[in-house]
Amino acid sequence: MVVTPWEVSGKIDYDKLTREFGTENLTIDLLERIQKYAGTLHTQLRRRIFFSHRDLNWILDEYDKGTKFALYTGRGPSGPVHIGHIVPWIFTKHLQDVFKSNLFFQMTDDESMLIKKLEDPYHWTYENTLDIIAIGFDPKRTVIISDIKNIQSLYELAIQVAKHMTFSTVKAVFGFQDSSNVGMIFFPAIQAVPALIPSAVSGRSVPCLIPAAIDQDPYWRITRDVAPKLGYPKPAQIHSKFLPGLGKGGKMSASMPETAIFTTDPPEVAELKIMDAFTGGRATVEEQRRLGANPDICSVYYYEYFLFMDSDRDIEELRRNCLSGAILCGECKQILAERVKPFLIEHQARRQKAKDQVKEFLAESKGLSLPE
Amino acid sequence: MVVTPWEVSGKIDYDKLTREFGTENLTIDLLERIQKYAGTLHTQLRRRIFFSHRDLNWILDEYDKGTKFALYTGRGPSGPVHIGHIVPWIFTKHLQDVFKSNLFFQMTDDESMLIKKLEDPYHWTYENTLDIIAIGFDPKRTVIISDIKNIQSLYELAIQVAKHMTFSTVKAVFGFQDSSNVGMIFFPAIQAVPALIPSAVSGRSVPCLIPAAIDQDPYWRITRDVAPKLGYPKPAQIHSKFLPGLGKGGKMSASMPETAIFTTDPPEVAELKIMDAFTGGRATVEEQRRLGANPDICSVYYYEYFLFMDSDRDIEELRRNCLSGAILCGECKQILAERVKPFLIEHQARRQKAKDQVKEFLAESKGLSLPE
């Protein structure tokens, strides 16, 4: 198992991750506190797709006392967005809707430049911005920050952070070596900044909650060490699992297009990818009818579980039918494809509409101050 | 002898420095080539205050062929400007006058924040800017760049530089350690940028010459390695010695006010500092008359030599009279004070006037494009 901000591979043991990272599992008590405000419990919480946290209890304590929190999440714009990326964004929108939170969405195009050979760093920032807007965030309460285009608003804070961040720390946390470039070594200071911005721009202490996949935790773990030294509250976090890909071993990667459904895939292309997906099925129909299949290694099942099959009763029935051999993989793929296709059509329509909304979201047009 | 960008101490052996840094001494041939354009040979060249270079011959070859070069120098604005700081600026103005060069003047206020406890990084940037303007640079051909205030114009280039700069390199060159903060580790990429800007903003290859004290050479030594990888010419350099301070052992430091004449010192304060200066004099008048004094360890002599006594005949006569005991230290100090006082009065008048010229110089008001 390898889980770093740049690489996620192997079989992920989430219990081991929470132990190693020193985070806490989401408790029933915490879920009930969120449910109190949300009315329902979001699928991604019920299914523990968001499963771990730091200081979420404090965030809710503050909210109970009337202190709103800001949300901060991000995206490294180095390629097209796939469905795995948008899973935590959908939950982030839910949090924004429930808690009327301001959302600071960081596009780490500088990091993308530092680790990839990008000819045009702005191309993917723009393309990915359309996907983010298409999720349906509230434009009044959301600002999308490109590190490169808005560095003027970030740099002085980043310098203050950097002053308290030694090479020794980033080496231990990220595994940097002598051969690492100095941009990557500095970058954790840049990724820290949006957690401080809600307080810095409003001039008061604003709690910040970061919903993101758990591989990004190291960045904010060190941010939590520095923030109090600068007079800012430690950012809290809520961590998601990774949506596995369509390939064997749960691989999904923008660099292996056949293993990922991109938000811009034509629905019929997505259908073909699903029909080719790796499943937990048997070698023959006869065998599968007799022995049943294995949903726990099945990418099709994961897609339903993570995003498309909202009803717990339906997902349990699917699991039962899979285990018993009552349903075959071909049928199951067809069911998923019939859900994915309309999802893509709708997302792509919103994405098209987003082209006219970009200015309402970008820091370079609206600044970083959001309403209270 | 310690010579790094942050510390200069001990007895400076400039021959050893050029060998260790791998720079070249200014040859008669090079001086004659400059003199051809300047008409005269500037005092700081005649006296080898500027004494070493990298690729100055190439700069002049290009100029001979009709290709103008840009100048780039800088200042770390962490305190008041003293007379030692302005020595290379005066020569830089001479180069601008002779070669009609554009000048990019970098204020490394980010580095000042990273290494000092500055409450307000803008205070010294502004104060020092007045001193720079007071030197008399051509406002049409000069832009003063605050790293923090103009990071938007620098960051993307800095990222490109950083990509080609490893921790291993900056560790070897600057002696960074595990305890170094990540801002200082990244900073060499920022200090590289103004050397590339003349080419980057004009879209063609513009030679760049950096006149600066030799302690800053390591920054541009590594810039020279990176520039060609990004398609830019290597910056050339011309290196100055350090003006020793008024204290014993040649110390001059903004943190020891009694050892430095600040540009903002009232003339009578400067006079008192000079009268208290360390000299090469003897214990008694009788002894000095008999044995003579030592100008080679005398801070008063150095001030005359570096800046105030322009006539070679006068400085040789002073040296002779010092060695022979014909002149006493008190007299010599008085002569220097009578030169320093009107200099300060004039500089301070120009500095006052500079307050109305700031906008003509700052990158944040005029951008980075200068005339061809």
Side-chain angles (χ1 to χ4, degrees):
Chain A
M1 171 171 82
V2 177
V3 177
T4 75
W6 308 283
E7 188 187 356
V8 175
S9 64
K11 185 168 162 44
I12 313 296
D13 179 339
Y14 288 103
D15 285 335
K16 192 172 164 206
L17 264 189
T18 52
R19 279 198 311 276
E20 281 184 2
F21 281 19
T23 67
E24 293 179 67
N25 284 314
L26 283 183
T27 59
I28 300 287
D29 173 59
L30 274 171
L31 297 188
E32 282 175 352
R33 292 183 70 181
I34 295 174
Q35 186 171 13
K36 194 185 85 187
Y37 288 108
T40 70
L41 201 55
H42 194 273
T43 313
Q44 295 192 26
L45 289 175
R46 286 200 320 277
R47 297 190 185 159
R48 298 295 197 282
I49 293 165
F50 275 85
F51 70 105
S52 154
H53 76 102
R54 292 183 193 271
D55 279 350
L56 181 60
N57 36 0
W58 166 71
I59 287 283
L60 295 171
D61 290 348
E62 289 296 307
Y63 195 79
D64 287 345
K65 288 188 271 179
T67 305
K68 287 173 71 175
F69 56 89
L71 293 164
Y72 157 33
T73 194
R75 157 86 185 135
S78 58
V81 164
H82 59 59
I83 282 179
H85 295 130
I86 71 176
V87 168
W89 302 350
I90 286 169
F91 181 66
T92 301
K93 171 178 155 49
H94 170 72
L95 290 175
Q96 180 178 61
D97 290 346
V98 169
F99 295 99
K100 302 281 174 283
S101 303
N102 291 332
L103 167 62
F104 296 81
F105 207 119
Q106 182 181 35
M107 305 299 275
T108 56
D109 38 18
D110 47 356
E111 189 197 28
S112 297
M113 273 184 72
L114 285 163
I115 55 176
K116 310 246 178 177
K117 287 190 189 298
L118 290 186
E119 286 296 310
D120 174 5
Y122 303 129
H123 172 75
W124 289 117
T125 299
Y126 175 75
E127 288 296 322
N128 294 180
T129 293
L130 299 180
D131 285 297
I132 293 161
I133 294 171
I135 299 297
F137 295 112
D138 178 354
K140 283 198 300 296
R141 295 208 166 276
T142 304
V143 59
I144 299 175
I145 305 163
S146 143
D147 284 348
I148 294 179
K149 289 201 176 173
N150 302 286
I151 190 65
Q152 198 64 57
S153 308
L154 310 176
Y155 189 63
E156 195 176 333
L157 266 172
I159 289 291
Q160 289 177 32
V161 170
K163 202 167 168 167
H164 296 283
M165 208 176 261
T166 63
F167 181 67
S168 180
T169 299
V170 299
K171 187 167 74 169
V173 172
F174 299 103
F176 290 134
Q177 300 181 333
D178 279 13
S179 60
S180 301
N181 78 53
V182 299
M184 285 304 291
I185 293 169
F186 177 64
F187 177 73
I190 296 277
Q191 182 145 339
V193 167
L196 315 180
I197 278 182
S199 296
V201 297
S202 69
R204 59 195 172 77
S205 184
V206 178
C208 177
L209 174 64
I210 306 172
I214 194 161
D215 60 308
Q216 298 292 308
D217 177 77
Y219 281 115
W220 298 302
R221 198 188 312 155
I222 60 175
T223 305
R224 287 166 56 85
D225 290 339
V226 174
K229 295 178 186 162
L230 301 175
Y232 297 111
K234 293 183 181 193
Q237 297 180 60
I238 181 165
H239 305 109
S240 75
K241 297 175 181 172
F242 314 105
L243 174 53
L246 298 170
K248 186 166 181 176
K251 282 278 188 191
M252 179 191 284
S253 165
S255 55
M256 292 188 292
E258 71 283 6
T259 63
I261 298 169
F262 296 109
T263 59
T264 47
D265 277 343
E268 61 280 11
V269 170
E271 182 170 20
L272 286 176
K273 288 181 180 179
I274 292 167
M275 298 319 282
D276 275 346
F278 174 78
T279 69
R282 300 283 174 176
T284 65
V285 170
E286 183 277 325
E287 213 178 313
Q288 186 153 341
R289 289 289 185 210
R290 184 160 48 86
L291 300 169
N294 182 2
D296 294 329
I297 60 165
C298 175
S299 64
V300 173
Y301 178 76
Y302 272 117
Y303 266 69
E304 294 285 16
Y305 186 85
F306 269 72
L307 195 58
F308 291 101
M309 198 170 272
D310 196 47
S311 151
D312 289 344
R313 188 177 303 171
D314 289 353
I315 197 85
E316 279 159 26
E317 190 186 329
L318 180 68
R319 184 179 177 81
R320 244 187 346 262
N321 289 338
C322 173
L323 286 166
S324 71
I327 192 170
L328 295 179
C329 294
E331 290 171 76
C332 208
K333 287 172 171 174
Q334 204 57 59
I335 291 169
L336 177 62
E338 292 313 317
R339 289 173 188 260
V340 170
K341 284 192 291 181
F343 174 87
L344 287 178
I345 290 166
E346 190 186 329
H347 184 85
Q348 287 163 14
R350 287 164 172 269
R351 208 177 170 283
Q352 184 60 32
K353 205 176 137 217
K355 291 178 183 172
D356 300 324
Q357 298 173 282
V358 169
K359 276 203 169 171
E360 294 173 65
F361 282 91
L362 293 190
E364 51 263 44
S365 47
K366 70 192 285 187
L368 294 179
S369 285
L370 295 176
E372 296 248 321
Chain B
M1 170 172 83
V2 177
V3 177
T4 75
W6 309 284
E7 189 187 357
V8 176
S9 64
K11 183 165 165 45
I12 313 297
D13 178 339
Y14 288 104
D15 285 335
K16 192 172 164 205
L17 263 188
T18 52
R19 279 198 311 275
E20 281 183 3
F21 281 18
T23 67
E24 293 179 67
N25 284 315
L26 284 182
T27 59
I28 300 287
D29 173 59
L30 274 170
L31 297 188
E32 281 174 355
R33 291 183 69 181
I34 295 174
Q35 187 171 14
K36 193 185 83 187
Y37 288 107
T40 71
L41 200 56
H42 193 274
T43 313
Q44 295 193 26
L45 289 176
R46 286 199 320 275
R47 297 190 187 160
R48 299 295 198 282
I49 292 166
F50 275 84
F51 70 105
S52 154
H53 76 102
R54 292 183 194 270
D55 279 348
L56 180 61
N57 36 0
W58 167 71
I59 287 283
L60 294 171
D61 289 347
E62 290 296 308
Y63 194 80
D64 287 346
K65 287 187 271 179
T67 306
K68 287 173 71 176
F69 57 87
L71 294 164
Y72 157 33
T73 194
R75 158 85 185 136
S78 58
V81 164
H82 57 60
I83 281 179
H85 296 130
I86 70 176
V87 168
W89 302 351
I90 286 169
F91 181 67
T92 301
K93 171 178 155 48
H94 171 71
L95 289 176
Q96 180 177 62
D97 290 345
V98 170
F99 295 99
K100 302 283 174 280
S101 303
N102 290 333
L103 168 62
F104 296 81
F105 208 119
Q106 181 181 36
M107 305 299 275
T108 55
D109 38 18
D110 46 356
E111 189 196 27
S112 297
M113 273 184 73
L114 285 162
I115 55 176
K116 309 246 178 177
K117 286 189 188 301
L118 290 186
E119 287 296 311
D120 174 5
Y122 302 131
H123 173 74
W124 288 117
T125 299
Y126 175 75
E127 288 295 322
N128 294 180
T129 293
L130 300 180
D131 285 298
I132 293 161
I133 295 171
I135 299 297
F137 295 111
D138 178 355
K140 281 197 300 296
R141 296 209 165 273
T142 304
V143 58
I144 300 175
I145 305 164
S146 142
D147 284 347
I148 294 179
K149 290 200 174 172
N150 303 286
I151 190 66
Q152 197 65 57
S153 308
L154 311 176
Y155 189 63
E156 195 177 333
L157 266 173
I159 289 291
Q160 290 177 31
V161 171
K163 202 166 171 169
H164 296 283
M165 208 177 261
T166 63
F167 181 67
S168 180
T169 299
V170 298
K171 187 167 76 168
V173 172
F174 299 103
F176 289 135
Q177 300 180 334
D178 279 14
S179 60
S180 300
N181 78 54
V182 298
M184 285 304 290
I185 292 169
F186 176 64
F187 176 74
I190 296 277
Q191 183 146 338
V193 168
L196 314 180
I197 277 183
S199 296
V201 298
S202 69
R204 57 196 174 77
S205 184
V206 178
C208 177
L209 174 64
I210 306 172
I214 194 162
D215 60 310
Q216 298 292 307
D217 177 77
Y219 281 115
W220 298 302
R221 199 188 312 157
I222 59 176
T223 305
R224 286 167 56 86
D225 291 338
V226 174
K229 295 177 186 163
L230 300 175
Y232 297 111
K234 293 183 180 194
Q237 296 181 61
I238 181 165
H239 305 109
S240 74
K241 298 176 180 171
F242 314 105
L243 175 53
L246 298 170
K248 187 166 180 176
K251 282 277 188 192
M252 179 192 285
S253 165
S255 55
M256 293 188 291
E258 71 283 6
T259 63
I261 298 170
F262 296 109
T263 59
T264 47
D265 276 344
E268 60 279 12
V269 170
E271 182 169 21
L272 286 175
K273 288 181 179 179
I274 292 167
M275 297 318 283
D276 276 346
F278 175 78
T279 69
R282 301 284 174 175
T284 65
V285 169
E286 183 278 327
E287 213 178 313
Q288 186 153 342
R289 289 291 185 209
R290 184 161 48 88
L291 299 170
N294 182 1
D296 294 328
I297 60 166
C298 176
S299 64
V300 173
Y301 178 76
Y302 272 117
Y303 266 70
E304 295 285 17
Y305 186 84
F306 270 72
L307 195 58
F308 291 100
M309 199 170 271
D310 197 48
S311 151
D312 288 345
R313 188 177 301 172
D314 289 353
I315 198 85
E316 278 158 27
E317 189 186 329
L318 180 67
R319 185 178 176 83
R320 244 186 348 260
N321 289 338
C322 173
L323 287 165
S324 72
I327 191 169
L328 295 178
C329 294
E331 290 169 78
C332 208
K333 286 172 170 175
Q334 203 58 58
I335 291 169
L336 178 62
E338 292 313 316
R339 290 173 187 260
V340 170
K341 285 193 290 180
F343 174 87
L344 288 177
I345 290 165
E346 191 186 330
H347 183 85
Q348 287 163 13
R350 288 163 172 270
R351 208 176 170 281
Q352 183 60 31
K353 204 176 139 219
K355 291 178 183 171
D356 300 325
Q357 299 173 281
V358 170
K359 276 202 169 172
E360 295 174 65
F361 282 91
L362 294 190
E364 51 263 45
S365 47
K366 69 190 287 186
L368 294 181
S369 284
L370 295 177
E372 297 248 321

